[in-house]
Amino acid sequence: QVQVVESGGGLVQPGGSLSLSCAASGSIFRITDMGWYRQAPGKQRELVASATRDGSTDYADSVKGRFTISSDNAKNTVYLQMNSLTPEDTAVYYCLVKASPTTARMVYNYWGQGTQVTVSS
């Protein structure tokens, strides 16, 4: 069993910054990717940023230049630094961990419970 726990959401004014963190724990043989998704009311869940174990990153066009994803492989933790936030960034942010719980090759998706980010004056 793999547990994924996010932290760091909250309320921030437009132009402000927030930092999210996500830690994976439990029965983990290997992690291939860790990333952040978000879902605003009435919208589909979308990729925000992702990072592979070897350090490759990917960002949604809407957050490029404002958000930075980083990870600490030793701690199975991924971070999301969000700067220059706008009301359009308001959403529930979810952490996704792609991992193998055993030595088998199968990789599963493990989601966190989500953390609310609200950008408002």
Side-chain angles (χ1 to χ4, degrees):
Q1 188 75 5
V2 177
Q3 294 81 41
V4 178
V5 179
E6 306 112 331
S7 60
L11 173 65
V12 64
Q13 292 187 342
S17 298
L18 273 179
S19 181
L20 306 181
S21 63
C22 167
S25 62
S27 178
I28 300 173
F29 174 68
R30 67 185 178 104
I31 292 175
T32 60
D33 305 71
M34 299 182 78
W36 292 94
Y37 287 69
R38 66 186 181 188
Q39 187 166 19
K43 295 187 177 181
Q44 290 188 332
R45 191 173 298 189
E46 63 176 1
L47 171 70
V48 177
S50 65
T52 64
R53 206 65 168 175
D54 63 3
S56 299
T57 58
D58 188 26
Y59 293 91
D61 288 342
S62 60
V63 307
K64 284 180 180 177
R66 300 188 298 123
F67 291 11
T68 302
I69 189 170
S70 61
S71 56
D72 185 334
N73 292 341
K75 296 182 179 180
N76 290 337
T77 300
V78 66
Y79 307 94
L80 185 67
Q81 178 63 41
M82 304 183 292
N83 299 327
S84 302
L85 286 160
T86 73
E88 288 68 37
D89 295 314
T90 295
V92 177
Y93 284 69
Y94 296 92
C95 179
L96 170 64
V97 176
K98 298 182 179 181
S100 296
T102 68
T103 56
R105 291 186 176 185
M106 187 68 70
V107 176
Y108 298 91
N109 290 344
Y110 297 93
W111 291 93
Q113 79 285 356
T115 185
Q116 177 70 45
V117 171
T118 302
V119 184
S120 175
S121 56

